[in-house]
Amino acid sequence: MFIIKKIQPYIKQFTERADIFLLVVCVICSVFGTVMIYRASSSMVAAGWEMNTNKQIIVQVFSIFLGIGAFVLLTVIDADLLGSQWKILIGIQVLLLIALRLFGQDDGTGNFAWIRFAGIGIQPSEIIKVIYIVVAAKQMTFLKEYRDINAFQSVVLMAGYFVLVFGAIVVVSSDLGSASIILCIFLTMFFALGVRLYWFALGGAAVAAMVPLLWEYFLKDYQKKRILAPYDPSIDPNNDGINWQTYQSKITLASGRTTGVDAEHRYTAFTGKHTDFIFSCIGEELGMIGCITVLILLTVLIIRCVRIGLKSGRTFDMLLCIGVASAMTFQTIINVGMCLGITPVIGITLPFFSYGGSSMVTMFAAMGLVSGVKYKLKPKLFSIY
């Protein structure tokens, strides 16, 4: 009783200043996703796949509680404090990449994106993604407030940090999915900062010039086929090779029609149905109504992040929120595109819905950063608006 009375003022302060609405929607999404993971895993077991459904649900539920803890922690810890320790954060990124290089394991797609020990798997790129948002926001804010953001040196510094993180992920783990999300985060934050459009044009021209070299000397054959497969039917005309998952996903998604199908009429299970292709499972179980519900929930989260960022009145806080919102947006677009067969299958999870402890915890942590912006006392003078 004494302990409860002692912490009661802190709980009251948290509920008054933190973004409880954001937390509630995150929990709704994660619980919804867990139910769908159970349904997908059950259908896979019924189809003869060897998997421990109970273990998966335990891992997912534990990850939700761990994620809620991360949300609370990053809400009450001032993100400015994290940003001020950017050297340590970059050091953590380097250590994670070294660990991935030494102990990384193939996830079955040719990517060495996981570190596994004692039956527990960690995807370092998910942590690197959140750290990148914080450090990039700190760097961009400094350049905006103390330098000219459109100066050549400033643009080189911002692009240089991005290129180092992007390149390290591709070289160390061959994880094009995580690297592509880092690219989307960088471009969105770069635009939100107010960088002149001619830098985007110059950057686009530079990338266009480098693409042939990257394609020829850096990408492996299976990566090239994976990128081209959705647009070139000749790569897998029978849909029994690199297109197999996508083909199964489209049939599964379409089978649900408007309101979904019962267990007796489910389409056959396939690998990844509970992870990267959970959206297809939702379409099968709950039909178009379920899919629209999922997209509405994720859109609410994205809009909430942007709104908090624009109302924050500080460049750093705004960039944090925009970075998180862009990660959510592009992960959703790419994942749903994978399920529909219009984007390459590059191992992108659907935020809060796909199976995966690393993804779940880091998404809650990212939302905690956004909630922390709302938790702060508002400055008297707005620095950007």
Side-chain angles (χ1 to χ4, degrees), residues 82-98 127-128 131-132 134-136 138-139 157 160-162 164-165 168:
L82 295 176
S84 67
Q85 303 300 317
W86 61 270
K87 292 181 181 179
I88 295 176
L89 294 178
I90 291 176
I92 293 172
Q93 287 181 317
V94 172
L95 290 176
L96 287 170
L97 288 166
I98 292 173
I127 303 172
I128 290 172
I131 293 177
Y132 175 79
V134 176
V135 176
K138 179 67 175 179
Q139 180 195 45
L157 287 172
Y161 177 50
F162 154 70
L164 287 174
V165 176

Side-chain angles (χ1 to χ4, degrees), residues 166-179:
F166 179 91
I169 291 175
V170 173
V171 172
V172 171
S173 67
S174 300
D175 188 354
L176 290 177
S178 297

Side-chain angles (χ1 to χ4, degrees), residues 164-383:
L164 287 174
V165 176
F166 179 91
I169 291 175
V170 173
V171 172
V172 171
S173 67
S174 300
D175 188 354
L176 290 177
S178 297
S180 66
I181 297 302
I182 296 291
L183 170 61
C184 295
I185 293 170
F186 167 71
L187 291 176
T188 307
M189 293 175 69
F190 204 57
F191 179 80
L193 187 65
V195 176
R196 297 285 177 81
L197 293 180
Y198 62 76
W199 284 115
F200 287 89
L202 290 173
V207 170
M210 292 180 63
V211 164
L213 294 175
L214 295 172
W215 187 267
E216 184 68 26
Y217 298 107
F218 287 90
L219 293 182
K220 300 174 183 177
D221 287 339
Y222 77 89
Q223 291 174 320
K224 295 177 183 178
K225 290 180 179 179
R226 189 183 298 171
I227 293 172
L228 294 175
Y231 322 110
D232 185 356
S234 65
I235 291 178
D236 184 16
N238 297 320
N239 295 311
D240 56 3
I242 200 167
N243 276 339
W244 182 75
Q245 276 184 308
T246 302
Y247 179 70
Q248 301 294 323
S249 170
K250 289 191 291 185
I251 296 176
T252 300
L253 187 60
S255 68
R257 300 194 177 186
T258 304
T259 58
V261 296
D262 55 32
E264 294 181 359
H265 297 90
R266 285 182 193 158
Y267 187 70
T268 183
F270 59 97
T271 54
K273 190 176 181 181
H274 62 308
T275 53
D276 297 347
F277 294 95
I278 192 66
F279 189 74
S280 296
C281 174
I282 294 169
E284 180 185 40
E285 297 277 350
L286 303 174
M288 183 178 65
I289 293 175
C291 291
I292 291 174
T293 301
V294 168
L295 294 177
I296 289 174
L297 288 170
L298 292 173
T299 302
V300 167
L301 290 176
I302 293 166
I303 293 174
R304 188 73 171 181
C305 290
V306 174
R307 183 172 181 270
I308 291 172
L310 295 180
K311 290 181 66 178
S312 66
R314 300 178 69 242
T315 304
F316 178 68
D317 293 337
M318 181 273 291
L319 290 173
L320 275 182
C321 295
I322 294 298
V324 174
S326 65
M328 284 276 296
T329 301
F330 289 104
Q331 277 192 224
T332 301
I333 291 172
I334 295 173
N335 180 273
V336 173
M338 285 164 45
C339 294
L340 295 173
I342 58 177
T343 58
V345 179
I346 52 177
I348 297 295
T349 57
L350 187 63
F352 294 107
F353 288 91
S354 293
Y355 172 74
S358 296
S359 176
M360 182 67 72
V361 174
T362 53
M363 286 311 306
F364 266 106
M367 290 297 165
L369 290 173
V370 176
S371 176
V373 171
K374 184 175 181 295
Y375 190 83
K376 290 177 184 177
L377 297 175
K378 295 294 182 292
K380 293 182 180 180
L381 294 177
F382 281 27
S383 57

Side-chain angles (χ1 to χ4, degrees), residues 66-176:
L66 197 61
I68 292 173
F71 180 98
V72 173
L73 185 64
L74 288 176
T75 295
V76 299
I77 294 179
D78 196 330
D80 287 290
L81 177 62
L82 295 176
S84 67
Q85 303 300 317
W86 61 270
K87 292 181 181 179
I88 295 176
L89 294 178
I90 291 176
I92 293 172
Q93 287 181 317
V94 172
L95 290 176
L96 287 170
L97 288 166
I98 292 173
L100 193 59
R101 182 67 176 179
L102 296 176
F103 308 110
Q105 296 183 16
D106 193 337
D107 61 0
T109 64
N111 299 339
F112 287 82
W114 291 86
I115 298 174
R116 301 186 187 277
F117 57 92
I120 300 174
I122 297 175
Q123 191 173 6
S125 61
E126 292 288 340
I127 303 172
I128 290 172
K129 175 177 65 181
V130 177
I131 293 177
Y132 175 79
I133 292 173
V134 176
V135 176
K138 179 67 175 179
Q139 180 195 45
M140 291 179 180
T141 301
F142 174 82
L143 292 173
K144 180 178 178 65
E145 295 181 351
Y146 298 100
R147 305 281 178 85
D148 178 7
I149 58 170
N150 289 294
F152 177 76
Q153 183 180 10
S154 298
V155 173
V156 168
L157 287 172
M158 290 184 283
Y161 177 50
F162 154 70
V163 170
L164 287 174
V165 176
F166 179 91
I169 291 175
V170 173
V171 172
V172 171
S173 67
S174 300
D175 188 354
L176 290 177

Side-chain angles (χ1 to χ4, degrees), residues 30-31 33-35 37-38 41 51-68 114 116-123 274-275 352-362 364:
S30 58
V31 171
T34 302
V35 173
I37 289 167
Y38 176 78
S41 299
M51 58 194 319
N52 191 332
T53 301
N54 291 333
K55 179 183 177 181
Q56 288 181 343
I57 298 305
I58 290 172
V59 168
Q60 198 73 355
V61 171
F62 178 75
S63 299
I64 292 172
F65 280 104
L66 197 61
I68 292 173
W114 291 86
R116 301 186 187 277
F117 57 92
I120 300 174
I122 297 175
Q123 191 173 6
H274 62 308
T275 53
F352 294 107
F353 288 91
S354 293
Y355 172 74
S358 296
S359 176
M360 182 67 72
V361 174
T362 53
F364 266 106

